[in-house]
Amino acid sequence: MSAQSIVDVLVENKVIPAEVGQQIKVESYNTGTSEQDILLKKHLANEEQIAQGRAKLLGIDYVKLAGKGISPEVLSLIPEPVARRYTIFPFFMDPQTGELYVAMDDPLNLQIIEFVEKKAGKKVKSFLGLPEDIKRAIDDQYAQNLSSEVTEALKETVGPDINTIDAKQIGEIIREAPIAKIVSTILEFAMKSRASDIHIEPEEKETRVRYRIDGILTEKLALPRKVHDAVVSRIKILAQMKIDERRIPQDGRFNFKMGSDEVDLRISTLPTVWGEKVVMRLLKKSGGVPKLPELGLRGIALKNLEVQIDRPHGIILVTGPTGSGKTTTLYAILSKLNTIKVNIVTLEDPVEYKIAGINQVQINPGAGLTFANGLRAFLRQDPNIILVGEIRDQETTDLAIQAALTGHLVFSTLHTNNAAGAIPRLMDMKAEPFLVVSSLNGVVGQRICRKICQSCKTSIIPPPEVVADIKKVLGSLYNQNTMSKIYRGKGCNECANTGYLGRVGIFEVLPVSEKIGHLILQRASSQDIEKQAISEGMITMKQDGYLKVVEGVTSIEEVLRVAQD
């Protein structure tokens, strides 16, 4: 192995071809420039690939720290000044061997390893890490109140036998300040970081805590297994769930307030092989409902939607997968229509935001209140506008169509990939084509992309293949002058080094025109309906996304992540 060079390892790892490797060796010998510098200068390998090659050369493991949840106990073994001074970062402690795993810029520096072993009182296993990755992990993890506050709370928790204590004793433990503090800190961090969900997941050696921020799950914390049951039981007590029932899933809810902000938390537990997993959905009570342009609707799509919602009757559907923002769009529409002159009733599962002046009903299948039964009752409540959370079956479809035909404006959602796909889906649920044509006003298709962070936004010159792809997708909407550069976020403290901050919707709005009505009567495919809508001026979701890429609102990777066919 000692006779090998970094180029040999990269050839072995199939990062570069053998002939290119030979050319680099010759160039390095002739110019005196290191192989590593030549590889980087010619963009033949990135820093991570070179670091992985270096680690293989040295016979040690490479570690990538980004996205790793770090246990507060592990972090407390090496003080921040020491980590910064020597560019090292502790990321795991093996419960079997007691070894401390440490990422290092120079993993063969025995002097530093010996010093860390004395400081931590543990045997150290060194890993190679990129200096920037290590520095970023130090900035993220040591600066986060999450880890430091949980570390302090953990110092006060009882010994390692919590997970073997019976339910009666757990009842005493969970009321103690340290466990309450851990739960409170986890919730406070979620609110500060704009998380929509918190996942508390037991594993064999530890419990990881992940947050869904801007639609992406990020691991932020690892807790010792010994406190898992107590933390879960604390959450269950807050949500008024049975703490001694761990064999079946449970649901509950509670409110949490931090300063002037208040969130409604929906709690769901699930028994897994390592213990109960908890997912907490955060629903903001303060902040109000956004307006349609704030969601990302603009131009012809916004105009078409406004025309449809101003009609006195008919059905408007919002489509997209789970988590694509359909409910938020519907709430924005209802807020726009909400006046003293109309009676608005909604049937939801669950009611996510409470809006003054609107009669909101939560479905309760256990008590016999389903979407179909609720919709039947609504028609006797003299409504002008009806929102049905989701059209799931033939009965709800028929009732929604009847409501629209008898003079009501009906809003609902469907799980389809695009706007045009909603029409064949209605017919799959036995809706007659002539009734669909008479009742359906329009369909909105949508997805959510992360927005580029404005604090670290930087322009890049797009590669020719990206320009060609944008040109192909945008077609007649393509403007040569605006395509000299696109944007991305470098990553900063403001956006937790992700390059993204906040989210924006990408939309397509398909009004049911006369020609589309004829296609529906012929039971045409969704492709034919979409083709006709595009010829009538509809901008597709992908086109809307690419226009937002060109404007610097989001990145091309984000659009492809959510809207690639």
Side-chain angles (χ1 to χ4, degrees):
M1 180 64 92
S2 57
Q4 274 194 315
S5 71
I6 191 78
V7 163
D8 293 325
V9 177
L10 292 182
V11 169
E12 215 173 87
N13 290 352
K14 295 188 169 52
V15 174
I16 54 171
E19 57 274 19
V20 173
Q22 199 54 45
Q23 288 166 12
I24 291 168
K25 282 185 175 184
V26 172
E27 188 177 333
S28 176
Y29 180 78
N30 290 336
T31 61
T33 311
S34 74
E35 292 177 353
Q36 190 168 318
D37 288 346
I38 295 168
L39 285 162
L40 287 170
K41 189 182 173 187
K42 294 192 170 184
H43 304 293
L44 294 167
N46 59 38
E47 288 184 347
E48 189 175 346
Q49 289 166 329
I50 291 169
Q52 285 169 336
R54 223 180 108 210
K56 195 171 179 182
L57 209 55
L58 298 170
I60 58 168
D61 292 324
Y62 168 78
V63 66
K64 187 176 181 179
L65 297 169
K68 268 189 185 299
I70 312 299
S71 164
E73 285 186 317
V74 170
L75 215 55
S76 65
L77 292 170
I78 297 179
E80 186 181 348
V82 173
R84 284 193 187 281
R85 186 174 174 191
Y86 297 112
T87 319
I88 60 174
F89 187 79
F91 62 91
F92 181 68
M93 189 164 69
D94 192 315
Q96 265 78 45
T97 63
E99 272 187 316
L100 180 64
Y101 291 13
V102 180
M104 301 175 69
D105 176 26
D106 183 5
L108 296 185
N109 191 323
L110 298 176
Q111 211 174 342
I112 294 176
I113 292 171
E114 198 178 322
F115 170 72
V116 172
E117 284 183 338
K118 278 184 186 168
K119 191 85 184 161
K122 303 279 177 191
K123 192 169 180 351
V124 165
K125 182 178 179 181
S126 64
F127 288 71
L128 177 69
L130 284 171
E132 293 75 21
D133 198 21
I134 294 170
K135 284 171 190 164
R136 190 176 291 147
I138 292 168
D139 288 342
D140 279 0
Q141 298 289 342
Y142 283 104
Q144 266 175 17
N145 288 333
L146 184 64
S147 290
S148 54
E149 286 182 26
V150 170
T151 308
E152 287 306 308
L154 284 170
K155 285 177 187 170
E156 301 169 38
T157 55
V158 290
D161 330 322
I162 291 185
N163 56 349
T164 60
I165 291 173
D166 65 31
K168 288 175 188 169
Q169 287 169 293
I170 275 201
E172 293 158 24
I173 293 163
I174 54 182
R175 288 178 178 83
E176 290 178 7
I179 297 298
K181 177 70 176 165
I182 289 170
V183 173
S184 178
T185 305
I186 287 169
L187 293 173
E188 283 173 20
F189 182 81
M191 289 180 74
K192 284 178 197 165
S193 58
R194 304 168 295 102
S196 61
D197 300 84
I198 307 167
H199 292 236
I200 299 173
E201 303 167 310
E203 293 181 339
E204 186 180 5
K205 295 174 182 173
E206 60 188 14
T207 291
R208 66 177 180 174
V209 181
R210 295 195 291 170
Y211 293 86
R212 192 175 291 282
I213 301 167
D214 291 335
I216 304 291
L217 272 173
T218 316
E219 193 174 335
K220 291 287 185 184
L221 180 68
L223 294 171
R225 279 290 284 125
K226 63 183 182 183
V227 298
H228 177 79
D229 288 346
V231 167
V232 171
S233 296
R234 169 72 183 161
I235 293 164
K236 281 178 159 185
I237 278 192
L238 293 170
Q240 298 181 332
M241 292 150 76
K242 295 176 184 171
I243 65 167
D244 56 345
E245 179 55 87
R246 300 177 187 179
R247 299 161 304 168
I248 57 170
Q250 292 188 66
D251 293 304
R253 61 187 290 182
F254 66 92
N255 291 347
F256 183 76
K257 197 168 185 181
M258 186 178 79
S260 59
D261 290 333
E262 190 176 355
V263 287
D264 182 8
L265 288 133
R266 304 291 162 92
I267 317 299
S268 168
T269 66
L270 184 73
T272 73
V273 288
W274 299 117
E276 282 184 289
K277 176 184 172 178
V278 179
V279 174
M280 298 190 264
R281 163 65 58 93
L282 285 81
L283 301 168
K284 267 194 172 181
K285 289 187 130 188
S286 46
V289 176
K291 293 183 167 59
L292 290 170
E294 289 168 15
L295 297 177
L297 270 159
R298 73 264 175 89
I300 192 164
L302 178 61
K303 187 184 169 194
N304 281 339
L305 181 59
E306 286 178 335
V307 166
Q308 303 312 322
I309 65 178
D310 283 342
R311 290 168 69 178
H313 52 80
I315 299 175
I316 293 166
L317 295 174
V318 181
T319 71
T322 304
S324 59
K326 300 187 293 293
T327 307
T328 307
T329 301
L330 287 172
Y331 281 150
I333 293 169
L334 289 187
S335 295
K336 185 178 168 66
L337 298 173
N338 187 14
T339 68
I340 203 81
K341 296 174 183 176
V342 290
N343 175 22
I344 303 177
V345 285
T346 77
L347 192 59
E348 303 170 59
D349 180 26
V351 174
E352 291 194 12
Y353 301 94
K354 295 182 178 72
I355 307 172
I358 293 179
N359 306 287
Q360 294 170 278
V361 178
Q362 176 144 345
I363 72 158
N364 185 348
L369 179 53
T370 61
F371 281 127
N373 289 347
L375 189 45
R376 205 174 278 111
F378 276 7
L379 296 175
R380 297 192 289 274
Q381 285 281 319
D382 184 32
N384 301 97
I385 296 164
I386 298 170
L387 183 146
V388 186
E390 189 185 338
I391 290 180
R392 293 179 180 172
D393 52 34
Q394 184 184 344
E395 194 178 4
T396 317
T397 309
D398 291 345
L399 285 164
I401 289 172
Q402 288 309 316
L405 293 174
T406 52
H408 305 91
L409 190 56
V410 180
F411 294 95
S412 193
T413 68
L414 268 181
H415 286 104
T416 60
N417 288 335
N418 56 14
I423 295 164
R425 178 66 56 85
L426 286 175
M427 292 190 229
D428 287 344
M429 289 189 279
K430 306 289 184 286
E432 290 293 340
F434 71 92
L435 291 176
V436 173
V437 174
S438 312
S439 60
L440 190 64
N441 291 359
V443 187
V444 179
Q446 70 176 78
R447 298 287 189 281
I448 300 183
C449 294
R450 291 181 292 170
K451 283 161 77 174
I452 294 170
C453 172
Q454 294 303 304
S455 303
C456 60
K457 183 176 172 180
T458 179
S459 62
I460 55 167
I461 294 164
E465 60 271 21
V466 170
V467 176
D469 182 40
I470 291 174
K471 198 171 183 178
K472 182 184 167 190
V473 170
L474 289 181
S476 60
L477 300 169
Y478 180 80
N479 181 348
Q480 182 71 48
N481 303 325
T482 59
M483 262 316 297
S484 56
K485 55 191 175 186
I486 57 175
Y487 301 85
R488 67 164 45 115
K490 283 193 295 190
C492 63
N493 290 336
E494 197 77 18
C495 60
N497 290 305
T498 59
Y500 298 99
L501 189 67
R503 294 195 283 175
V504 68
I506 56 173
F507 297 88
E508 59 186 24
V509 177
L510 187 155
V512 178
S513 64
E514 195 178 330
K515 285 183 179 174
I516 288 173
H518 286 308
L519 288 173
I520 295 171
L521 291 171
Q522 293 160 21
R523 293 184 179 267
S525 67
S526 59
Q527 288 88 346
D528 290 340
I529 292 169
E530 183 174 67
K531 201 173 171 186
Q532 179 58 39
I534 291 168
S535 73
E536 291 176 12
M538 181 181 88
I539 292 171
T540 66
M541 264 185 289
K542 200 169 180 184
Q543 286 178 326
D544 188 32
Y546 274 25
L547 288 170
K548 283 171 177 144
V549 167
V550 171
E551 291 163 18
V553 176
T554 188
S555 69
I556 200 152
E557 293 85 357
E558 272 300 288
V559 175
L560 293 175
R561 179 177 71 84
V562 300
Q564 183 66 291
D565 298 331

